[in-house]
Amino acid sequence: MNALLFDMDGVLYEGERPIAGAVDSIAWCRAQAIPHLFLTNTTSRSRQALVDKLAILGLNVSAAEILSPPVAARSWLQQNISGPVALFVRKQTASEFNGLEIATPEATDVAAVVLGDLGEEWSFARYNRAFRLLMDNPDAVLIALGMTRFWRAEDGLRLDAGPFVRGLEYATGREAVVMGKPAVPFFKSALALLDARADETLMIGDDIRGDIGGAQQAGIKAVLVRSGKFRPADLEQGITPFALLDSVASLPAWWHQQGW
Ligand SMILES: [Mg+2]
């Protein structure tokens, strides 16, 4: 093993509290010079906001070390698509796509349509424009920044990006490339950014489906931690992690036991 992928929420911290030993394990990873990335499905906060949160918890992580769905999408687009990209994302998310050729609001010929959680910023005209761009260009790729169905806002439940992506899939008969765990392209983006092979990379997570199942689909071995959202029943869902650790604090000793 020569590279590490860390889930964040439930592995490094729980709510506003760091997991005991997480700081030391990250320090160990750096001292060993093991290439690593922190993977999150969060799109509501920018990477800098995550960096600031981690810093308060004593975890020094830079924005460049965090892989979020927009960052993975940019990397995927750079490798697979040439031509203008139409963004249907919030303003703070749009900045993550700097460096790509972004379609103008009048453009009719685009190579990809990127769809995130736009919330109140959706209108029929805007949604229909995404639909038309896909219908006008049989080769245009639909990229989804996650498939979350809904979330709980202060005033009640709200639709997230997932239902809007499904709506376009239904209307166009095309399938979206989904960025975010457990989608394989998300893990492939992580490998590409680290320049690492799947069979030399280890994923650490607390989500049996998103982290462990997703990584395994991409050919990556994955270790489940008993922190965060872990429940014993997770082990009865037909997904077998490579190993089970009490928390990320156990990672350095366990890693050395493996002879890596
Ligand atoms: Mg997690």
Side-chain angles (χ1 to χ4, degrees), residues 39-43 67-81 89 93 97 100 112-117 141-148 160-162 165 169 175-193 210:
L39 271 53
T40 177
N41 275 4
T42 299
T43 54
L67 182 64
S68 61
V71 178
R74 183 184 59 195
S75 164
W76 192 92
L77 287 163
Q78 279 171 336
Q79 286 170 49
N80 295 283
I81 297 290
V89 302
T93 308
F97 291 87
L100 291 180
V113 169
V114 176
L115 200 143
D117 170 28
V141 180
L142 174 60
I143 311 275
L145 303 183
M147 285 303 285
T148 305
D160 205 296
V165 175
E169 285 183 326
E175 208 176 313
V177 175
V178 181
M179 294 294 162
K181 298 173 286 183
V184 168
F186 191 63
F187 289 95
K188 292 255 164 89
S189 282
L191 296 175
L193 284 167

